[in-house]
Amino acid sequence: MKINKFLDTLIIGAGFAGMYCLHKQISDGFIAEIYEQGGDVGGTWYWNRYPGARCDIESMDYSYSFSEELQQEWNWKEKYGTQPELLNYAKHVCEKFNLRQKINFNKKIIKAVFNKKTEKWIVSSDDNIHIECKYFILATGNLSTPNTPNISGINNFEGSIYHTGAWPKEMPKFEERTVGVIGTGSSGVQSIPIISETAKNVLVFQRTPNFSLPARHTKLPEDKRDNYKKNYTMYRTLAKNSSFGIAKYQPPTQSAFDVNEDERNKIYQKAWEEGGQAMLFSFTDLLTDKRANDTAAEFVRNKIRDIVSDKDVADKLCPFDHPIGTKRLCLDSNYFQTYNKQNVSLIDISKNPISEITKNGLLTNNTEYKFDDLVFATGFDAMTGAVNAIDIINDNEVSLKSKWADGPKTYLGIMVSEFPNLFMITGPQSPGVKSQMILSIEQHVDFIHGLILHNKNNNFRQVYAKSKNQDEWVNHNNDVAHSTLYPLAHSWYNGDNIIGKKRNFMPYVGGVANYKKLCDEIIKNDYEGFEFT
Ligand code: N01
């Protein structure tokens, strides 16, 4: 095989993880490059261009902290960053740190094999470029492999089909058109109100209702932004010491039953008015005690009943199948209000699932629905999808995919035993998706970079996770998850949304502060659990 390029480090993905990782690597003199299947930087924010796409974490938090100059010079305009604003931010970072010339765009990596003799990875793209590298880093994202359900007849549909997670660059026009939307997770909840502003009619096909809280989105007032900037050190420190990685969400101190019902509802009401995820941080036991959780869930269901004028529709929109917060909470701008509009219909497909897509719409068990365009807001093969899409083979000719057949197993969500010099940024069993992502990304990249420097400075050739420590970490991850209500939900956290995927609770829910403390201890103990050869 002809090798086209020799690198110290190959990183897949030019989202926030890949870019920061590349910056660290080249700053320390490594010959490093990114391979990215998209046409520009941005990752999630490159692909998710659907109407209404914006972050569910406030911009002043959801941003890099590694460069004081960057965090002072960038002026967020909105409380929650819109997709275009986040994409511009990613491009700004790319230019500021001179990353672009080290990024290979429109390149899809499909295979990586560890060569026993050279102790290097040979990484191959779908257009037959082969790159040899010592360190191979997956910055492939957790929600980057769109899931389009395999419904028969899909090719017969005569209108346009869109997926929220792979939205076209040019915004489709829905004027005078009836649009069918399948899916009511975060992507559906954000896009349905905006699509309904221009479409003639919107038919929403809902299999399971979701909890959604008001985002209370606004323009970001300049004085608030300036105050945050002045005190960034304090806010970033508070964030690092919290469970979710957001300064204002500090651990609650009282149980839902330490107060009476009136008081409890006042606290929920305050959080509802504040917007965002505040409600989940009201009491210590909302995610561990079903009775406590029920009090918050019922509060939100009552809000839905108040907002939606048609009682039948309101009932269909009220979730009962999972404790609130055990699926990623949606944040919305007028989602439930949208069902009061004449041009929006909710179709409950929980009992009559979609049986076929036809040329003019779709069929459920008992009815035909007609529409001009179809939007899949059906989510992602989360956390493992993008990793398993690459055929990664170790020196014993074992594939990572086969190792993960019963679910992912990692040490800290960073390395997999028997796969030397292969790293994941915010991989399964890390707090990544259960935190402010960029904070976790920075912490992971710093940790991985430390491992690589340790390997290099000591003239080691390989670093890998020890199986014993990996097993212990996987068990710990499960123990923590099962001490909460999370496993009760049918969710992408558990892999439930992908047919045939083995059920495993994948994120680490012990909190970012605890996780970082653990990682720091591991470093202090000479990278305990890692083997260097
Ligand atoms: O995907 P989802 P998403 N027939 O998996 C339905 C992040 N995100 O793209 O619940 C009918 O949550 C499915 O129904 P059910 C965020 O972390 C963040 O919305 O399986 N319906 C569900 O309603 C989020 O959690 C932001 O019964 C089918 C929906 O499709 C994650 O991405 C914005 C179906 C999928 O919901 C994923 O969100 C957007 C079928 N065959 C996303 N298959 C922000 O930052 C699936 N569904 C704000």
Side-chain angles (χ1 to χ4, degrees):
M1 178 193 295
K2 178 178 171 273
I3 302 291
N4 304 86
K5 201 179 266 185
F6 297 86
L7 298 172
D8 293 327
T9 309
L10 188 153
I11 302 158
I12 306 188
F16 288 126
M19 283 202 293
Y20 178 49
C21 188
L22 178 65
H23 168 65
K24 291 283 284 189
Q25 287 280 300
I26 52 184
S27 303
D28 268 325
F30 289 91
I31 301 169
E33 289 187 12
I34 290 181
Y35 278 72
E36 161 61 54
Q37 65 173 319
D40 208 331
V41 297
T44 289
W45 305 107
Y46 175 85
W47 296 103
N48 286 265
R49 298 161 185 262
Y50 59 83
R54 68 168 77 239
C55 192
D56 58 1
I57 292 177
E58 294 183 30
S59 336
M60 296 308 292
D61 297 302
Y62 188 84
S63 49
Y64 285 120
S65 69
F66 73 87
S67 160
E68 177 61 10
E69 197 178 289
L70 170 67
Q71 68 181 7
Q72 291 301 334
E73 77 191 6
W74 184 261
N75 287 321
W76 292 104
K77 294 191 179 56
E78 310 224 9
K79 180 175 168 187
Y80 297 92
T82 58
Q83 177 273 331
E85 194 177 12
L86 285 153
L87 190 58
N88 281 341
Y89 174 69
K91 287 180 185 169
H92 172 76
V93 172
C94 177
E95 306 313 332
K96 180 175 176 69
F97 297 100
N98 291 319
L99 304 178
R100 194 166 286 280
Q101 73 273 22
K102 306 269 181 208
I103 307 178
N104 304 272
F105 292 107
N106 301 306
K107 291 281 175 208
K108 185 171 178 178
I109 298 297
I110 53 168
K111 189 165 185 161
V113 180
F114 193 75
N115 183 320
K116 225 180 206 159
K117 279 198 200 124
T118 59
E119 295 178 276
K120 301 268 172 77
W121 285 95
I122 308 288
V123 181
S124 306
S125 67
D126 63 350
D127 58 352
N128 275 319
I129 303 286
H130 306 288
I131 308 117
E132 187 186 89
C133 59
K134 180 159 181 175
Y135 304 110
F136 179 36
I137 304 182
L138 303 175
T140 40
N142 285 288
L143 295 157
S144 46
T145 308
N147 164 46
T148 303
N150 186 10
I151 307 174
S152 77
I154 197 163
N155 294 327
N156 301 331
F157 186 63
E158 288 182 348
S160 299
I161 296 184
Y162 306 98
H163 193 294
T164 47
W167 200 262
K169 277 192 185 155
E170 193 165 333
M171 192 56 84
K173 295 212 181 321
F174 293 125
E175 280 85 355
E176 298 306 314
R177 297 182 78 76
T178 296
V179 183
V181 181
I182 303 177
T184 51
S186 299
S187 305
V189 162
Q190 284 191 330
S191 57
I192 289 162
I194 308 294
I195 294 175
S196 80
E197 285 173 8
T198 55
K200 185 165 81 181
N201 291 302
V202 182
L203 309 183
V204 180
F205 296 92
Q206 173 190 271
R207 191 165 64 181
T208 317
N210 243 319
F211 288 103
S212 183
L213 303 179
R216 307 278 177 218
H217 177 65
T218 56
K219 294 274 176 232
L220 185 59
E222 266 177 45
D223 56 338
K224 194 173 171 206
R225 186 177 69 204
D226 293 347
N227 171 55
Y228 219 89
K229 281 191 185 181
K230 267 191 217 131
N231 295 292
Y232 242 142
T233 310
M234 175 189 77
Y235 285 123
R236 298 293 195 191
T237 308
L238 280 169
K240 279 182 192 156
N241 291 328
S242 70
S243 62
F244 197 55
I246 294 182
K248 70 176 176 181
Y249 296 147
Q250 291 301 311
T253 50
Q254 56 180 356
S255 149
F257 300 114
D258 285 344
V259 292
N260 64 29
E261 190 181 346
D262 253 18
E263 189 58 27
R264 199 162 51 230
N265 282 335
K266 274 189 196 142
I267 291 172
Y268 290 146
Q269 179 65 28
K270 189 164 170 275
W272 177 267
E273 280 162 20
E274 179 188 329
Q277 317 241 3
M279 191 179 297
L280 272 193
F281 296 86
S282 304
F283 298 110
T284 50
D285 41 3
L286 290 184
L287 290 168
T288 51
D289 178 345
K290 177 73 169 53
R291 276 186 332 125
N293 188 286
D294 285 343
T295 64
E298 191 54 17
F299 178 89
V300 175
R301 285 191 289 261
N302 281 333
K303 289 290 181 194
I304 299 172
R305 293 172 187 126
D306 285 348
I307 295 170
V308 179
S309 16
D310 183 313
K311 186 180 171 312
D312 263 10
V313 177
D315 284 347
K316 285 178 187 153
L317 287 165
C318 283
F320 280 95
D321 71 305
H322 66 282
I324 185 168
T326 54
K327 279 181 166 184
R328 174 78 171 206
L329 258 184
C330 304
L331 295 192
D332 70 273
S333 295
N334 296 325
Y335 174 66
F336 295 115
Q337 289 82 345
T338 300
Y339 292 96
N340 294 334
K341 292 173 75 170
Q342 289 298 317
N343 66 334
V344 179
S345 310
L346 179 71
I347 296 133
D348 175 5
I349 53 166
S350 57
K351 294 191 185 74
N352 294 300
I354 300 166
S355 53
E356 192 184 330
I357 307 268
T358 61
K359 68 179 185 151
N360 297 317
L362 62 76
L363 293 175
T364 64
N365 286 355
N366 56 2
T367 316
E368 180 175 11
Y369 296 91
K370 291 193 174 169
F371 42 79
D372 302 307
D373 298 312
L374 174 57
V375 173
F376 282 102
T378 44
F380 304 88
D381 182 355
M383 307 201 68
T384 54
V387 177
N388 283 338
I390 306 164
D391 192 15
I392 301 174
I393 316 276
N394 73 7
D395 44 356
N396 291 319
E397 296 180 17
V398 176
S399 75
L400 181 60
K401 196 172 176 176
S402 68
K403 279 267 169 199
W404 282 9
D406 289 332
K409 292 185 181 63
T410 72
Y411 183 40
L412 302 170
I414 282 179
M415 288 200 93
V416 182
S417 68
E418 299 170 48
F419 287 79
N421 299 357
L422 167 72
F423 306 90
M424 285 172 291
I425 303 172
T426 66
Q429 286 135 12
S430 83
V433 294
K434 288 300 302 163
S435 70
Q436 193 278 84
M437 229 20 218
I438 300 185
L439 179 144
S440 282
I441 283 170
E442 289 184 328
Q443 191 259 336
H444 266 205
V445 169
D446 291 347
F447 188 92
I448 292 168
H449 194 67
L451 273 173
I452 291 177
L453 282 177
H454 187 77
N455 202 56
K456 178 179 177 233
N457 296 341
N458 292 287
N459 291 321
F460 293 126
R461 296 186 308 275
Q462 293 184 26
V463 48
Y464 50 90
K466 293 181 187 170
S467 336
K468 177 178 161 285
N469 296 71
Q470 175 168 294
D471 291 346
E472 284 169 8
W473 181 251
V474 172
N475 290 338
H476 172 62
N477 211 70
N478 283 330
D479 291 346
V480 177
H482 286 279
S483 68
T484 70
L485 303 174
Y486 283 107
L488 298 183
H490 172 103
S491 72
W492 59 258
Y493 292 150
N494 286 304
D496 294 317
N497 64 328
I498 301 296
I499 293 168
K501 193 163 173 173
K502 214 57 198 260
R503 191 166 212 268
N504 268 283
F505 188 81
M506 294 181 281
Y508 177 64
V509 285
V512 293
N514 288 337
Y515 177 85
K516 180 166 186 315
K517 220 195 277 166
L518 255 154
C519 288
D520 291 347
E521 277 295 303
I522 287 169
I523 298 172
K524 232 196 267 164
N525 296 333
D526 282 335
Y527 289 104
E528 187 182 352
F530 294 94
E531 186 80 51
F532 297 85
T533 63

